[in-house]
Amino acid sequence: EAFIMKFRIYTAGLPEEAKKIRLEVFVKEQGFEEEFDSVDDTAAHIVLFDGKTPVGVCRVFKDSGSGKTVIGRVAVKKELRGKGLGTRIIEAAEKYAAGTGISAIRIHSQERAAGFYRALGYRDTGERDLDEGCPHIWMEKLL
């Protein structure tokens, strides 16, 4: 299958395309209830499109607590996983962050996805917590 992939970066609130994918992946598929928050109002949302169809998403924001830049809510539509799209989304987010002068980036990863981020150069910070009962780990990478 030939994909015609392109990214769009939204910097003025949560776009409908990103909301739709996150509802599908995090709420319907994984059972999270508190998916949307005030961070969505100020984050940059990166949406990957196949032609006109949104297929993946993430958000990039400055964490108010630590002041560090974070990539979060990384999601790819279920039927398109395993094709390298998640890697392309992370690369786009890193490029966007680097373009704003950021030198290090953090990810709040579900523990079951930590291997994916490790393969992309993220290291475990040792900080762990639960997000709606799901084990998460903070990971970091120097850009």
Side-chain angles (χ1 to χ4, degrees), residues 20-35 57 72-78 81 108-114 117 131-136:
K20 195 174 155 192
I21 291 171
R22 285 170 49 188
L23 272 170
E24 193 177 301
V25 173
F26 294 120
V27 179
K28 293 184 183 135
E29 183 187 327
Q30 296 182 2
F32 287 93
E33 293 172 6
E34 297 162 26
E35 173 55 23
V57 66
R73 303 297 204 263
V74 180
V76 172
K77 289 177 77 140
K78 192 171 193 171
R81 290 183 200 147
H108 193 222
S109 169
Q110 293 181 15
E111 279 193 4
R112 63 179 170 222
Y117 297 111
D131 185 353
E132 291 192 50
C134 177
H136 277 64

Side-chain angles (χ1 to χ4, degrees), residues 95-110:
K95 185 177 169 188
Y96 169 79
T100 66
I102 300 302
S103 60
I105 200 148
R106 286 166 59 92
I107 287 182
H108 193 222
S109 169
Q110 293 181 15

Side-chain angles (χ1 to χ4, degrees), residues 3-16:
F3 289 103
I4 303 160
M5 294 294 171
K6 63 181 189 293
F7 286 98
R8 274 192 67 190
I9 300 172
Y10 300 82
T11 55
L14 179 65
E16 202 51 48

